[in-house]
Amino acid sequence: MATIFSRIIAGEIPCHKIAENEEFFAFLDINPVAVGHTLVVPKQEVDYIFDIDDDALGRMMAFAKRVAHAQKAAIPCKRIGLTVIGLEVPHAHIHLIPMTKESDIYFGKGKLNPSQEELSEVAEKIRKGYK
Ligand code: AMP
């Protein structure tokens, strides 16, 4: 059965898309730990990120870098933090999180619950800076 992220990539489940190329897809996390929290996923279903082959993992990081620059331009923050967890959704993904202090990237503090309108506005801002 397709993962929830594959269903998002296929357009079966709505998302607030940021960018995509032939191999990767970026969209807002629905329950962000910070405003602008974005997920980068490979279109090919792989559960564990370190099962991705070296070259594809490099390309995934290069794609994430472009998304991070767009986030940085759109969201007031010091830098974009990166983390990999993968305990909830068995489809490899990188969390890209705007942060000003260390706790901004801490998942144990609980998540935000933005409205669809808020997510839509944030996604629009980030998309404008994606090059
Ligand atoms: P983890 O697998 O532990 O790295 O966490 C999966 C992440 O995916 C969590 O931060 C969820 O909020 C996020 N997530 C789950 N379902 C969706 C969805 N339909 N749209 C956007 N983000 C999602």
Side-chain angles (χ1 to χ4, degrees):
M1 199 174 91
T3 67
I4 187 163
F5 290 169
S6 287
R7 297 185 63 204
I8 286 172
I9 292 163
E12 294 167 20
I13 294 176
C15 76
H16 295 276
K17 179 176 152 182
I18 302 299
E20 74 176 308
N21 66 15
E22 322 73 56
E23 289 183 291
F24 307 106
F25 193 94
F27 57 103
L28 291 185
D29 194 296
I30 204 165
N31 284 128
V33 292
V35 172
H37 178 171
T38 298
L39 303 176
V40 169
V41 309
K43 291 185 174 177
Q44 186 188 359
E45 264 187 26
V46 179
D47 176 357
Y48 185 44
I49 194 162
F50 295 125
D51 285 334
I52 296 174
D53 74 65
D54 292 0
D55 289 346
L57 194 56
R59 292 192 298 273
M60 185 173 175
M61 193 58 76
F63 177 77
K65 175 177 162 180
R66 293 174 68 187
V67 173
H69 282 314
Q71 289 171 284
K72 182 74 173 61
I75 311 287
C77 63
K78 273 196 178 161
R79 53 181 57 198
I80 305 301
L82 178 159
T83 190
V84 174
I85 302 176
L87 293 174
E88 187 186 317
V89 178
H91 186 147
H93 51 284
I94 293 171
H95 295 261
L96 293 176
I97 302 171
M99 55 180 197
T100 300
K101 53 190 185 313
E102 195 180 311
S103 60
D104 291 337
I105 199 169
Y106 175 54
F107 280 67
K109 73 179 189 294
K111 292 179 147 193
L112 306 173
N113 193 14
S115 66
Q116 288 300 317
E117 290 71 29
E118 288 167 325
L119 288 169
S120 179
E121 275 176 33
V122 170
E124 176 66 28
K125 278 192 211 163
I126 299 174
R127 276 195 299 269
K128 278 191 185 144
Y130 182 78
K131 294 183 183 88

